[in-house]
Amino acid sequence: QQQVKQSPQSLIVQKGGISIINCAYENTAFDYFPWYQQFPGKGPALLIAIRPDVSEKKEGRFTISFNKSAKQFSLHIMDSQPGDSATYFCAASMSNQGGKLIFGQGTELSVKP
Amino acid sequence: KAGVTQTPRYLIKTRGQQVTLSCSPISGHRSVSWYQQTPGQGLQFLFEYFSETQRNKGNFPGRFSGRQFSNSRSEMNVSTLELGDSALYLCASKAGAGNEQFFGPGTRLTVL
């Protein structure tokens, strides 16, 4: 029930294309869903986050779509660039559990020029 | 504002030894969480400290422990190191009431 399942494991997209990464969760008590971007040798960097009372959130080329009834959320990267090549992690947490983030397994994105 | 800093960045130890890792959170952040990242298990929550008290704990053996000081800096200790403890150990900080967590660059621990 504490798991967050992420797919695909790896993704290859052409420059200018749309990258889509999906996550699913079971625990309906989760109320905060962030996405992190991690480059090799670096710590994860917070990209964008959403709460379940919102169905979509957009920041620049990054959009989170949230489907509360399906218990799924996804990250869309529009106009993907080679500089977006990194590992992306979705996560979930509950407000009453403070800073405990449950992470998906990660998606390695490669954007080809 | 300076980001989360972790020291040392790299560490090599042998089985049976113990190790202490340090984390300095973003100024003003009172919550510090620790995570272990491995290729096989991904990112796993170890524990969280807030105002010098452990607020949350993940499913790790008692060999993993931590503490937080009055200036919010935190240390993590692993005793009796095992080969499987080789990992990137990440520290993240957040403001007390907020959800946004910001990670440091991590400490790469190798156990030989």
Side-chain angles (χ1 to χ4, degrees), chain B residues 89-106:
Chain B
Y89 289 89
L90 293 156
C91 163
S93 77
K94 72 181 188 77
N99 286 97
E100 294 181 336
Q101 282 192 54
F102 300 92
F103 283 81

Side-chain angles (χ1 to χ4, degrees), chain A residues 51-113:
Chain A
R51 292 192 173 278
D53 53 348
V54 176
S55 62
E56 186 174 281
K57 183 174 180 180
K58 184 176 181 180
E59 287 184 6
R61 296 185 294 111
F62 300 92
T63 300
I64 299 180
S65 296
F66 189 87
N67 186 328
K68 190 174 180 178
S69 60
K71 291 184 282 186
Q72 295 175 348
F73 58 110
S74 60
L75 176 70
H76 295 234
I77 306 174
M78 313 300 285
D79 186 25
S80 298
Q81 298 296 314
D84 296 330
S85 298
T87 302
Y88 292 81
F89 294 93
C90 63
S93 70
M94 291 177 261
S95 296
N96 64 1
Q97 291 209 344
K100 181 179 180 178
L101 285 170
I102 307 298
F103 281 90
Q105 283 298 98
T107 296
E108 195 172 337
L109 171 65
S110 178
V111 181
K112 300 298 185 185

